[in-house]
Amino acid sequence: EAQVTQNPRYLITVTGKKLTVTCSQNMNHEYMSWYRQDPGLGLRQIYYSMNVEVTDKGDVPEGYKVSRKEKRNFPLILESPSPNQTSLYFCASSKLQGSYNEQFFGPGTRLTVL
Amino acid sequence: GNSVTQMEGPVTLSEEAFLTINCTYTATGYPSLFWYVQYPGEGLQLLLKATKADDKGSNKGFEATYRKETTSFHLEKGSVQVSDSAVYFCALSVNTGNQFYFGTGTSLTVIP
């Protein structure tokens, strides 16, 4: 089944404790992206990647890191999480750069930073 | 800059009612426009898209027309069903499709 998976689905952590949210897709997509969803703000793009070793900032990259060492994986790293990073995070992928083509979204990761 | 503004919700309609969700945008260059739908507890799914002015996107009875003159991409459906209850997001992409901007979402509840 074609899908985007994220782990963990739920995470509660404390300020300053480094964490990684994994994202993997099995559709051989070149493009992958991370978003955060907050009430009243919709989805905002954090980082995106056009292919292996090619990443760029989205609208709200501060406090986040990403890497794209393999085509299928695009982890989101929070080196020193803060309470304002409490949010619902979505990973997405698509076949070509950005799109025109459909983005496929993962189920989301709900992060709480205390 | 780039941004999307969509009508505030929540919206509650009776089954078979007509639906309109307004969406307007500002963008540098020539964006592509999208409507995504999010069902409870799930990620977003593409509902429809339009890549140039006057294009009409359609899917599952939903339609939206890319209006460059009014910078709008309003979502419409002639007769909603209970199964259409979800949150709807208007979005645009720029920079050859690499950067995306989403609206705040409009929650729709359809009652029998």
Side-chain angles (χ1 to χ4, degrees):
Chain A
E1 180 191 354
Q3 60 182 350
V4 178
T5 56
Q6 297 178 226
N7 284 292
R9 294 290 312 278
Y10 302 91
L11 179 60
I12 300 174
T13 189
V14 295
T15 299
K17 186 175 181 181
K18 180 179 179 180
L19 67 91
T20 299
V21 183
T22 65
C23 173
S24 182
Q25 49 93 6
N26 62 1
M27 295 169 279
N28 200 35
H29 286 168
E30 292 85 6
Y31 179 92
M32 297 184 75
S33 184
W34 275 103
Y35 299 88
R36 59 178 291 174
Q37 182 178 14
D38 301 291
L41 296 176
L43 274 79
R44 293 177 292 168
Q45 192 173 33
I46 303 170
Y47 269 95
Y48 61 91
S49 169
M50 293 167 283
N51 215 322
V52 175
E53 303 290 3
V54 182
T55 63
D56 208 346
K57 297 176 181 178
D59 215 26
V60 289
E62 296 77 18
Y64 303 94
K65 286 177 56 178
V66 292
S67 69
R68 188 90 182 273
K69 293 184 174 19
E70 303 168 284
K71 196 172 187 179
R72 65 183 293 129
N73 296 323
F74 190 44
L76 180 69
I77 303 156
L78 285 72
E79 295 268 4
S80 183
S82 62
N84 64 13
Q85 293 178 298
T86 293
S87 187
L88 179 58
Y89 291 86
F90 288 100
C91 180
S93 72
S94 68
K95 186 176 181 182
L96 295 176
Q97 285 190 10
S99 233
Y100 325 138
N101 291 317
E102 176 180 359
Q103 284 195 82
F104 291 83
F105 282 78
T109 295
R110 186 166 293 281
L111 172 66
T112 302
V113 183
L114 302 175
Chain B
N2 301 299
S3 67
V4 174
T5 302
Q6 61 182 104
M7 66 183 283
E8 297 278 336
V11 174
T12 302
L13 295 173
S14 297
E15 206 165 21
E16 299 184 0
F18 185 86
L19 169 70
T20 299
I21 301 178
N22 290 336
C23 171
T24 58
Y25 67 90
T26 59
T28 54
Y30 302 97
S32 293
L33 301 174
F34 306 84
W35 278 100
Y36 277 84
V37 59
Q38 184 180 33
Y39 298 103
E42 298 183 9
L44 280 71
Q45 305 172 23
L46 179 67
L47 181 58
L48 53 84
K49 67 181 181 185
T51 58
K52 61 183 187 297
D54 299 324
D55 269 2
K56 177 186 281 189
S58 62
N59 186 25
K60 300 181 181 178
F62 291 90
E63 293 184 340
T65 302
Y66 188 147
R67 303 283 188 200
K68 186 178 177 184
E69 64 276 12
T70 55
T71 61
S72 65
F73 193 54
H74 305 320
L75 181 68
E76 296 181 337
K77 187 175 185 182
S79 176
V80 294
Q81 306 299 313
V82 172
S83 57
D84 293 328
S85 298
V87 180
Y88 293 81
F89 291 91
C90 185
L92 66 85
S93 72
V94 293
N95 187 19
T96 64
N98 289 322
Q99 291 181 276
F100 281 82
Y101 297 85
F102 284 79
T104 54
T106 301
S107 175
L108 170 66
T109 300
V110 180
I111 55 177

